[in-house]
């Protein structure tokens, strides 16, 4: 487990690597960024399918998962800066090239902001189930969509999310973070990305409708839109499909994956 700290902001990275593997032969890393109220645990299935191809870092953002609780709110740009610092300390600073960075839900907003503010930190951005398109940017509207999604999600997915949101993350902090979800304008930051962007949604995702995914892909200078099986937590319902997209992103980055 890795940590990156700056003042009261800590990012905890849970690393998947094949036993006995050496960074001398690891071609690339991927960083997985969770959504609001969630944690690195949301990526267990996806990480298991990527580890044979490189080093996988599933991070806990400040205030979530294994990261220390916070007494103040943290903005999307602050989360993005914290992830960029983690990448500098544990990936690019350790001799690996800039990673593919994957974000889910609010994590898509964090990754989009990272691509705009810290272009050296990523070679490709993959945004899974991006939240809060225009016309739905209120907490009640997002809550309704999440409730509709919950009806069709597997019990394990919901169980992990509930424990992470209510136990591992304090409720006041979680509610404060929801305001950033609805206030953030992902379509305004993606045009500043200088690397390829892939927007991914589950075919039955009520939180990230198809027209929103298409709009975001079109807003990036080099963007594309892909659909996989499942609902909002597509990386849990279709880890093989999402892994295939991430591996293709690795290839597009130009250095291969072995």
């Amino acid at each position: 487990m890795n940590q990156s700290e700056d003042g009261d902001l800590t990012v905890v990275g849970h690393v998947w690597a094949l036993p006995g593997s050496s960074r001398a032969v690891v071609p690339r890393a991927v960083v997985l960024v969770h959504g609001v109220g969630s944690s690195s645990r949301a990526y267990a299935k996806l990480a298991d399918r990527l580890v044979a191809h490189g080093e996988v870092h599933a991070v806990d953002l400040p205030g979530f998962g294994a990261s220390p609780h916070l007494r103040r709110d943290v903005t999307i740009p602050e989360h993005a800066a914290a992830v960029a610092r983690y990448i500098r300390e544990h990936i690019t600073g350790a001799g690996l090239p800039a990673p593919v960075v994957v974000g889910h839900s609010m994590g898509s907003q964090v990754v989009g902001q990272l691509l705009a503010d810290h272009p050296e930190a990523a070679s490709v951005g993959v945004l899974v189930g991006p939240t809060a398109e225009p016309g739905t940017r209120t907490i009640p509207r997002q809550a309704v969509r999440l409730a509709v999604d919950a009806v069709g999600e597997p019990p394990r997915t919901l169980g992990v999310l509930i424990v992470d949101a209510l136990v591992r993350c304090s409720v006041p902090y979680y509610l404060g973070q929801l305001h950033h979800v609805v206030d953030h304008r992902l379509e305004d930051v993606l045009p500043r990305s200088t690397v390829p962007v892939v927007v991914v949604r589950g075919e039955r995702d009520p939180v990230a409708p198809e027209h929103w995914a298409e709009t975001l892909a079109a807003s990036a200078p080099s963007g594309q839109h892909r659909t996989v099986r499942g609902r909002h937590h597509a990386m849990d319902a279709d880890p093989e499909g999402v892994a295939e997209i991430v591996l293709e992103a690795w290839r597009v980055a130009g250095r291969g994956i072995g």
Side-chain angles (χ1 to χ4, degrees):
M1 187 167 69
N2 295 330
Q3 283 195 189
S4 175
E5 300 178 6
D6 184 16
D8 61 345
L9 300 184
T10 300
V11 172
V12 175
H14 305 265
V15 184
W16 275 256
L18 289 179
S21 63
S22 166
R23 281 194 162 179
V25 296
V26 172
R28 184 170 291 275
V30 61
V31 175
L32 308 175
V33 183
H34 62 81
V36 66
S38 188
S39 77
S40 56
R41 300 197 302 161
Y43 282 112
K45 289 184 178 180
L46 181 59
D48 284 344
R49 285 158 177 81
L50 293 174
V51 68
H53 305 279
E55 200 169 83
V56 182
H57 296 247
V59 301
D60 290 329
L61 294 171
F64 295 103
S67 295
H69 288 285
L70 289 167
R71 296 181 179 273
R72 69 173 180 91
D73 196 19
V74 180
T75 66
I76 297 292
E78 284 182 304
H79 281 305
V83 175
R85 185 174 55 253
Y86 176 92
I87 291 170
R88 287 194 300 271
E89 291 182 6
H90 297 289
I91 298 176
T92 56
L96 291 178
V100 175
V101 186
V102 181
H104 171 247
S105 198
M106 184 191 85
S108 291
Q109 296 171 303
V110 173
V111 172
Q113 194 72 49
L114 178 143
L115 298 180
D117 294 347
H118 309 276
E120 78 291 345
S123 60
V124 183
V126 179
L127 314 183
V128 182
T131 45
E133 80 272 23
T136 70
R137 288 171 173 156
T138 68
I139 290 177
R141 287 182 178 180
Q142 290 298 307
V144 168
R145 286 187 168 189
L146 289 170
V148 170
D149 178 67
V151 173
E153 294 284 6
R156 178 197 171 279
T157 298
L158 294 178
V160 169
L161 183 60
I162 289 170
V163 170
D164 281 339
L166 300 182
V167 178
R168 304 181 81 205
C169 166
S170 70
V171 173
Y173 185 70
Y174 172 74
L175 294 176
Q177 293 289 282
L178 286 177
H179 286 283
H180 295 299
V181 170
V182 299
D183 289 342
H184 189 260
R185 302 292 187 265
L186 189 53
E187 73 275 19
D188 290 342
V189 298
L190 282 185
R192 293 198 280 130
S193 172
T194 58
V195 301
V197 176
V198 185
V199 183
V200 183
R201 70 177 293 271
E203 61 186 353
R204 294 179 291 116
D205 184 354
V207 181
E210 185 171 14
H211 69 85
W212 176 230
E214 292 173 343
T215 296
L216 290 176
S219 73
S222 179
Q224 59 177 297
H225 161 229
R226 301 284 297 276
T227 300
V228 295
R229 294 184 292 107
R231 299 173 69 86
H232 189 52
H233 294 261
M235 68 284 189
D236 217 8
D238 190 4
E240 295 86 0
V242 177
E244 181 180 341
I245 291 169
V246 174
L247 294 175
E248 179 59 26
W250 252 327
R251 297 184 184 101
V252 168
R255 293 182 175 88
I257 58 169

